[in-house]
């Protein structure tokens, strides 16, 4: 019979052996978050991850069975890239799986999401890139079919716990129904914007033709800005939906947010990081989100929303490649600055007034 003392000794021996064989976790400096990629026959053709894989380059592939695709890693700069898959659910699940992965120490890591989006022509043009200050959920709430909307309602979408659209006061953005809006660290966002606002973004004759039908900011050559994102698992288009987005974002942000980009994943990423922050496995104030316009949320004059959907179904998004190139042009110097100056950025988050080189 094994005595209690012997049992303890055996257990300690196994623990010691285990500790000696398990390598310490990799301290990650920056996590690059991407959401979609076109991979056919095992060949990576294009997408949000492609430039990081080929131009950074991220050459080390790490298995990630709890996610959509293997992770990519730069062991010299300690930069890790994840492909989450599209839409809120996959994004949230993928980030949670990464955050709980014992192979990585993410306790000081910065997270930078770089993804394509639909752009509001009142704020920016196709190919432009926006650093988000707020991300707002466009799925949480109540909705009435368009055929049933009361004549005095501007939309059939209304908040939970309210009986009319945009009813004041707005509910708390973090409540029992869910988290409807997230504010990113403004100092870090301003720092990233200050570093990249002068980046010359890709432009060409094709892009000039795409924006020629628009006026104002939507007709300008691509530029870097600060603007906010509305996230929904649905792709939506048209003047009425855009009018809703332009009111939904400031409604949930106390009038501070300005709708610029329409995408899917950002609120899911923020939800996962919120939980990981509570567990001490991530820092919520070290999150950056960059979106670049691959198309407009409103069709050009003379085209209906349905016609816009039909055209893009056959021709693709008009500024897709330009947006992908813009993302890398703007995001890569920020990732480089954070990773290469780790002696400064590990324990102190950079701000615009104390910029990291």
């Amino acid at each position: 019979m094994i005595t209690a003392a012997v049992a303890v000794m055996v257990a300690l021996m196994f623990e010691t052996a285990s500790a000696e064989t398990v390598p310490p976790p990799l301290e990650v400096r920056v996590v690059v978050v991407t959401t979609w990629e076109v991979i056919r026959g095992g060949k990576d053709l294009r997408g949000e991850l492609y430039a990081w894989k080929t131009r950074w380059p991220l050459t080390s592939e790490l298995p990630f069975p709890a996610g959509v695709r293997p992770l990519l890693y730069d062991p010299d700069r300690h930069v890790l890239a994840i492909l989450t898959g599209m839409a809120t659910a996959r994004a949230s699940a993928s980030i949670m799986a990464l955050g709980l992965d014992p192979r990585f120490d993410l306790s000081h890591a910065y997270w930078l999401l770089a993804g394509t989006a639909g752009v509001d022509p009142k704020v920016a043009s196709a190919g432009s890139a926006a650093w988000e200050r707020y991300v707002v959920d466009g799925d949480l709430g109540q909705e009435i079919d368009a055929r049933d909307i009361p004549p005095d309602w501007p939309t059939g979408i209304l908040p939970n716990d309210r009986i009319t659209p945009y009813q004041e006061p707005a509910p708390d953005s973090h409540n029992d129904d869910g988290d409807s809006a997230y504010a990113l660290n403004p100092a870090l966002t301003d720092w990233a914007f200050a570093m990249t606002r002068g980046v010359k973004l890709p432009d060409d004759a094709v892009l000039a033709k795409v924006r020629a039908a628009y006026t104002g900011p939507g007709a300008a050559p691509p530029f870097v800005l600060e603007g906010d994102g509305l996230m929904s698992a649905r792709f939506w288009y048209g003047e009425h939906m855009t009018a809703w987005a332009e009111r939904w974002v400031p409604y949930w942000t106390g009038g501070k947010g300005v709708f610029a980009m329409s995408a899917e994943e950002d609120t899911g990423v923020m939800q996962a990081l919120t939980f990981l922050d509570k567990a001490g496995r991530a820092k919520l104030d070290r999150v950056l989100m960059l979106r670049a316009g691959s198309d407009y949320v409103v069709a050009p004059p003379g085209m209906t929303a349905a016609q816009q959907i039909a055209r893009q179904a056959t021709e693709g998004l008009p500024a897709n490649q330009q947006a992908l190139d813009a993302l890398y042009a703007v995001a890569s110097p920020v990732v480089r600055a954070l990773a290469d100056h780790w002696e400064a950025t590990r324990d102190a988050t950079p701000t615009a007034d104390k910029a990291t080189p």
Side-chain angles (χ1 to χ4, degrees), residues 164-234:
T164 59
Y166 317 116
Q167 181 183 339
E168 297 288 353
D172 189 328
S173 60
H174 302 280
N175 57 58
D176 290 342
D177 291 326
D179 297 315
S180 295
Y182 298 89
L184 278 70
N185 181 349
L188 182 62
T189 301
D190 288 347
W191 168 79
F193 174 59
M195 177 184 293
T196 59
R197 64 188 305 171
V199 172
K200 184 174 177 58
L201 299 184
D203 194 11
D204 53 33
V206 173
L207 200 53
K209 184 178 180 180
V210 170
R211 64 176 183 261
Y214 296 86
T215 60
F223 61 98
V224 181
L225 66 147
E226 287 183 307
D228 306 310
L230 178 63
M231 303 298 125
S232 173
R234 305 184 316 277

Side-chain angles (χ1 to χ4, degrees), residues 1-351:
M1 179 180 293
I2 301 177
T3 66
V6 173
V8 171
M9 291 178 60
V10 172
L12 289 173
M13 290 173 58
F14 275 108
E15 288 180 7
T16 302
S18 177
E20 291 175 350
T21 57
V22 176
L26 298 171
E27 184 180 49
V28 176
R29 299 176 182 179
V30 184
V31 179
V32 176
V33 181
T34 64
T35 69
W36 66 270
E37 197 79 1
V38 177
I39 300 175
R40 293 176 182 152
K43 185 176 182 180
D44 191 345
L45 302 178
R46 66 183 184 279
E48 294 172 356
L49 186 61
Y50 187 79
W52 299 97
K53 182 177 181 179
T54 59
R55 295 168 61 183
W56 182 268
L58 294 169
T59 55
S60 297
E61 185 175 290
L62 304 177
F64 189 46
V68 175
R69 294 282 178 181
L71 303 167
L72 298 180
Y73 185 58
D74 174 0
D76 296 323
R77 283 188 160 123
H78 301 268
V79 173
L80 184 70
I82 181 175
L83 179 68
T84 65
M86 293 177 64
T88 318
R90 284 187 177 183
S92 189
S94 295
I95 296 300
M96 183 60 73
L98 175 58
L100 296 176
D101 194 317
R103 294 175 295 173
F104 308 108
D105 176 4
L106 300 163
S107 59
H108 291 83
Y110 293 83
W111 301 75
L112 194 156
L113 184 150
T116 56
V119 60
D120 186 348
K122 292 181 182 178
V123 178
S125 56
S128 294
W131 291 106
E132 295 175 328
R133 302 163 301 177
Y134 297 93
V135 291
V136 177
D137 194 290
D139 290 330
L140 289 170
Q142 308 171 85
E143 185 171 3
I144 296 175
D145 187 276
R147 292 161 292 189
D148 299 322
I149 297 174
D152 59 335
W153 283 18
T155 178
I157 301 172
L158 57 158
N160 289 327
D161 198 34
R162 295 296 183 268
I163 60 174
T164 59
Y166 317 116
Q167 181 183 339
E168 297 288 353
D172 189 328
S173 60
H174 302 280
N175 57 58
D176 290 342
D177 291 326
D179 297 315
S180 295
Y182 298 89
L184 278 70
N185 181 349
L188 182 62
T189 301
D190 288 347
W191 168 79
F193 174 59
M195 177 184 293
T196 59
R197 64 188 305 171
V199 172
K200 184 174 177 58
L201 299 184
D203 194 11
D204 53 33
V206 173
L207 200 53
K209 184 178 180 180
V210 170
R211 64 176 183 261
Y214 296 86
T215 60
F223 61 98
V224 181
L225 66 147
E226 287 183 307
D228 306 310
L230 178 63
M231 303 298 125
S232 173
R234 305 184 316 277
F235 282 80
W236 54 265
Y237 298 87
E239 293 182 5
H240 292 92
M241 292 298 297
T242 300
W244 159 72
E246 291 168 349
R247 292 187 66 179
W248 196 250
V249 169
Y251 177 79
W252 283 107
T253 58
K256 298 176 182 178
V258 176
F259 169 64
M261 297 286 175
S262 167
E264 298 180 88
E265 297 83 14
D266 302 10
T267 47
V269 171
M270 289 299 292
Q271 180 67 85
L273 289 174
T274 298
F275 291 154
L276 291 168
D277 179 87
K278 292 179 181 179
R281 300 191 65 87
K283 288 184 178 292
L284 198 57
D285 63 351
R286 292 192 167 194
V287 181
L288 289 164
M289 293 192 165
L290 180 72
R291 287 287 179 175
S294 57
D295 62 330
Y296 291 97
V297 293
V298 178
M303 181 183 294
T304 67
Q307 290 170 336
Q308 183 184 20
I309 290 175
R311 170 183 283 186
Q312 292 184 175
T314 56
E315 300 178 7
L317 301 177
N320 198 38
Q321 188 57 54
Q322 294 89 339
L324 292 170
D325 291 338
L327 287 171
Y328 187 77
V330 177
S332 58
V334 172
V335 174
R336 194 173 298 114
L338 292 169
D340 289 354
H341 298 89
W342 194 238
E343 71 285 351
T345 59
R346 183 186 188 277
D347 297 313
T349 304
T351 60

